[in-house]
């Protein structure tokens, strides 16, 4: 379902205000994948007449130990990336999660709604504890999908922009909402819709087209960082892994060519066109022709973002002001929803909450 459908019909949630929520964890190293798969799309949502709330999910970051100073720096860096990518704090709400206490409060209620078996089935938990002693992992690492559900449902979110690898978390959110509504005989929480759309929602490694572009990859050449300068961006694209064949006549010809498909998708997403349009322009071209064009495009699109991020990072007080103002606006939406949740559950609010 498209965001336009959600705007016009409430999706599968008639009666709820159309509202988008999403967040990025401040674990450092924003990449081209973050920009194309998230930030660029976040900014575009502002033009679709839907209320947009974008969060830096610092509570999620501490499921593994974080150096406090590094966490503060990375929280500001994510915020700078939001702003540099065109997310306007006047049109969207931008804040860091820990400043709105309702996230943690609702997460506890959802901990008591969700089932332990649901958590153990989450792919990311299994991946992060594979080959290790799971008993030594933090409880937060197991339970954080419940916090993610709280992040979304605290705002009665109707749509979440997600990548394919995040669909399982949203399914869990939908399960928790449905179980809460069923257990208490209410229609209080929406069944949030995933918004999966556009080209290059999943950007792959420049070294291996079968693996997602990741800040955790030991090879810096595998990714384009939003902090890379123009020369570094161009160099990484020129050295990106490809095959010896020219670009095909049709998109179907990319099926078994993951590196070629990845570069075509990146070009399409940066240019704001379809992969089919890229193939029409470059069909039969060798990568010696295509890569310089892609490098020029990437530099033209990303260098202004890098420069803007650097400017924002030179004024941390302004970033903190934006986060604080956004937290106040977020709390104004969240507090009545949390208060009603507590009332439904049977908790007494003797202080007007």
């Amino acid at each position: 379902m498209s965001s336009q459908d959600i705007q016009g019909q409430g999706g599968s949630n008639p009666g709820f205000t159309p509202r988008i929520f999403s967040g990025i964890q401040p674990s450092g190293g924003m990449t081209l994948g973050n920009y194309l798969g998230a930030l660029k799309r976040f900014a575009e949502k502002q033009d679709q007449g839907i209320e947009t709330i974008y969060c830096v999910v610092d509570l999620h970051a501490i499921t593994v130990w974080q150096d406090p100073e590094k966490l503060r720096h990375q929280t500001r860096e994510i915020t700078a990336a939001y702003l540099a990518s065109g997310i306007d704090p006047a049109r969207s709400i931008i804040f860091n999660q820990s400043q709105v206490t309702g996230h943690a409060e609702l997460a506890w209620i959802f901990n008591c709604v969700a089932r332990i078996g649901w958590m153990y089935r989450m792919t990311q938990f299994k991946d992060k504890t594979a080959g290790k002693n799971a008993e030594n992992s933090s409880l937060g690492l197991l339970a954080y999908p419940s916090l993610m559900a709280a992040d979304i449902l605290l705002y009665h979110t109707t749509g979440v922009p997600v990548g394919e690898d995040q669909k399982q978390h949203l399914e869990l959110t939908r399960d928790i909402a449905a179980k809460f509504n069923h257990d208490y005989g209410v229609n209080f929480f929406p069944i949030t819709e995933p918004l999966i759309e556009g080209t290059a929602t999943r950007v792959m490694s420049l070294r291996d087209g079968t693996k997602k572009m990741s800040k955790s990859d030991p090879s810096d050449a595998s990714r384009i960082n939003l902090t890379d300068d123009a020369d570094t961006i161009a160099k990484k694209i020129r050295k990106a892994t490809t095959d010896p064949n020219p670009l095909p006549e049709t998109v179907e010809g990319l099926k078994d060519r993951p590196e070629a498909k990845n570069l075509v998708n990146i070009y399409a997403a940066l240019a704001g066109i379809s992969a089919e349009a890229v193939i029409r322009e470059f069909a039969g071209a060798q990568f010696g022709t295509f890569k310089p064009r892609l490098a020029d495009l990437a530099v033209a699109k990303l260098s202004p973002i890098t420069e803007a991020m650097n400017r924002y990072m030179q004024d941390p007080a302004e970033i903190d002001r934006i986060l604080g103002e956004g937290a106040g606006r977020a709390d104004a939406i969240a507090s009545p929803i949390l208060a009603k949740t507590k009332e439904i559950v049977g908790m007494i609010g003797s202080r007007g909450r």
Side-chain angles (χ1 to χ4, degrees), residues 22-30 34-35 39-40 42-43 46 53-58 70-90 92-99 215 226-227 305-327 329:
S22 196
I24 295 177
Q25 189 173 149
S27 51
M30 296 291 283
N34 297 122
Y35 174 68
L39 299 175
K40 181 174 181 286
F42 291 177
Q46 297 176 127
I53 303 174
Y54 298 125
C55 185
V56 183
V57 289
D58 49 357
K70 190 174 181 181
L71 178 60
R72 277 186 280 271
H73 173 83
Q74 291 175 170
T75 298
R76 291 178 180 126
E77 186 175 71
I78 297 292
T79 307
Y82 279 166
L83 298 168
S85 298
I87 299 172
D88 181 356
S92 294
I93 296 174
I94 304 173
F95 71 106
N96 58 305
Q97 182 188 24
S98 61
Q99 290 203 68
K215 57 199 170 193
L226 292 189
T227 53
I305 294 172
T306 300
E307 292 168 5
M309 282 181 65
N310 290 336
R311 288 196 302 272
Y312 283 116
M313 288 299 288
Q314 291 170 9
D315 191 356
E318 175 63 8
I319 291 177
D320 294 355
R321 185 198 66 79
I322 290 170
L323 290 173
E325 182 179 275
R329 292 168 61 199

Side-chain angles (χ1 to χ4, degrees), residues 28-35 39 77 81 206 213-217 219-230 232-234 236-237 298 302-303 305-307 309:
M30 296 291 283
T31 70
L32 175 67
N34 297 122
Y35 174 68
L39 299 175
E77 186 175 71
L206 297 179
M213 183 178 288
S214 172
K215 57 199 170 193
S216 62
D217 192 307
S219 172
D220 188 62
S222 69
R223 60 186 171 271
I224 293 174
N225 306 298
L226 292 189
T227 53
D228 286 342
D229 60 28
T232 302
I233 292 170
K236 286 180 176 180
I237 289 175
L302 298 179
S303 288
I305 294 172
T306 300
E307 292 168 5
M309 282 181 65

Side-chain angles (χ1 to χ4, degrees), residues 285-345:
Q286 298 289 340
F287 282 102
T289 299
F290 180 71
K291 282 183 177 180
R293 292 281 299 276
L294 175 56
D296 289 345
L297 177 62
V299 168
K301 295 291 185 179
L302 298 179
S303 288
I305 294 172
T306 300
E307 292 168 5
M309 282 181 65
N310 290 336
R311 288 196 302 272
Y312 283 116
M313 288 299 288
Q314 291 170 9
D315 191 356
E318 175 63 8
I319 291 177
D320 294 355
R321 185 198 66 79
I322 290 170
L323 290 173
E325 182 179 275
R329 292 168 61 199
D331 189 64
I333 298 170
S335 289
I337 293 172
L338 179 63
K340 183 62 177 179
T341 305
K342 292 178 178 179
E343 179 186 324
I344 292 168
V345 171

